[in-house]
Amino acid sequence: DTSVTEVNSFSPSVPISPSSMINQYKFEDGPELRDLFITVDDPESHITAIETFITYRVVTKTTRGEFDSSEYEVRRRYQDFLWLKSKLEEAHPTLIIPPLPEKFIMKGMVERFSDEFIETRRKALHKFLNRIADHPTLTFNEDFKIFLTAQAWELSSHKKQGPGLLSRMGQTVRAVASSVRGTVKNRPEMFTEMNNYMETFSQKITLLDKIAHRIYKEEREYFNEMKEYGPIHTLWSASEEDIAESLKGVAGCIDRCCRATEKRMAGLSEHLLPILHEYVLYTEILMGVLKRRDQIQGELDSKVDALASKKTEKDLFSEEIGKLEDKVERANNALKADWDRWKQNMQWDMRSTFTNVAENNLRYYEE
């Protein structure tokens, strides 16, 4: 990892501040010219006889010509985001679709429909839409445009339409792939390396996620005990005149440590835990993308084998194989480009996240 070399190459005589370390890691790309801005905010509870659910306001501002207006405001519930994700996967089976927050975020740590849960989900949904908006291909998807612009009744009507051509093609690929077993014969080495990378990455990021949750849990238990410990010294000082000032000083010190600990917990829950868990979800998505690429390759391999065993219909099979070869090449190119983009984003997210945690720890110990 070149980042280790970069850090170690700093002169030990020159103190390096955490913020300057972050600057060392920043990509040197110029500012992107964005033409689509999305905000997810204003959660609102809805209670019906059947269910209770939350909707979020989605505000879109754009200068793109394919939009009829420059600004849109719609309300969407979690199920609508799920629909969008499934449509993107159907239309782009070998692109890396950003993950959605799970049905229950940080299970056991926050209650469903609590303010903390709703805010955590709002941030995750905001990030989901903006990752799509920043993607060079997904941002122009027609279902994404409908999601951002259609009123609730229009979106509901659009959802009820039958599966489109891309969906039926996806079903065909899955049907063929279900008969494919074992390793794909002609898989390029690059995708075998990707698969191996993701297996290792999955193990490491899952372990990091578990450790981070354990740290947060221990920190919270420490904080709760400390909250009770400070007032005890204040009460004690009332009955010990000789050491009253010292006891009050200890109580004040505990109170300051308590506030510092609370800030550190907030930093963990806002910056570290969501990023780590997002990449745990990304591992499942990437493994799924690699499988779908293999399924397309498997369909091609089965046609090539069928052609070799048949003497008739060679022209028809050759035409089908040509189309499948084009399909495999498009799938490979799409995944290669997305893979490089995903790795760059992941490395930036990890560096900035852990540097942020280090800075928070420095502030905590100083306080």
Side-chain angles (χ1 to χ4, degrees), residues 1 3 25-30 32 96 131 134 136 197-198 201 275 279 282 286 335-353:
D1 184 352
S3 64
Y25 292 137
K26 282 183 179 175
F27 296 123
E28 295 179 357
D29 297 338
E32 294 182 11
I96 303 167
R131 283 200 188 277
D134 291 339
Y197 180 97
M198 285 315 301
F201 180 81
I275 290 290
Y279 279 96
Y282 257 127
L286 274 148
L335 180 49
K336 277 186 226 172
D338 237 20
W339 172 260
D340 292 339
R341 188 174 179 277
W342 176 82
K343 277 189 77 174
Q344 188 183 49
N345 285 340
M346 179 270 289
Q347 288 166 356
W348 162 245
D349 281 344
M350 290 297 153
R351 286 172 178 175
S352 59
T353 296

Side-chain angles (χ1 to χ4, degrees), residues 284-295:
E284 298 169 12
I285 289 167
L286 274 148
M287 295 303 279
V289 169
L290 287 165
K291 282 180 183 175
R292 287 195 290 273
R293 195 224 68 86
D294 283 354
Q295 288 167 0

Side-chain angles (χ1 to χ4, degrees), residues 304-316:
V304 171
D305 290 344
L307 177 62
S309 64
K310 287 192 175 185
K311 294 180 181 178
T312 59
E313 302 177 0
K314 280 199 173 185
D315 291 341
L316 178 63

Side-chain angles (χ1 to χ4, degrees), residues 131-149:
R131 283 200 188 277
I132 296 170
D134 291 339
H135 193 283
T137 302
L138 299 178
T139 188
F140 297 107
N141 178 274
E142 187 61 25
D143 287 306
F144 181 48
K145 179 184 170 186
I146 290 168
F147 176 92
L148 296 176
T149 61

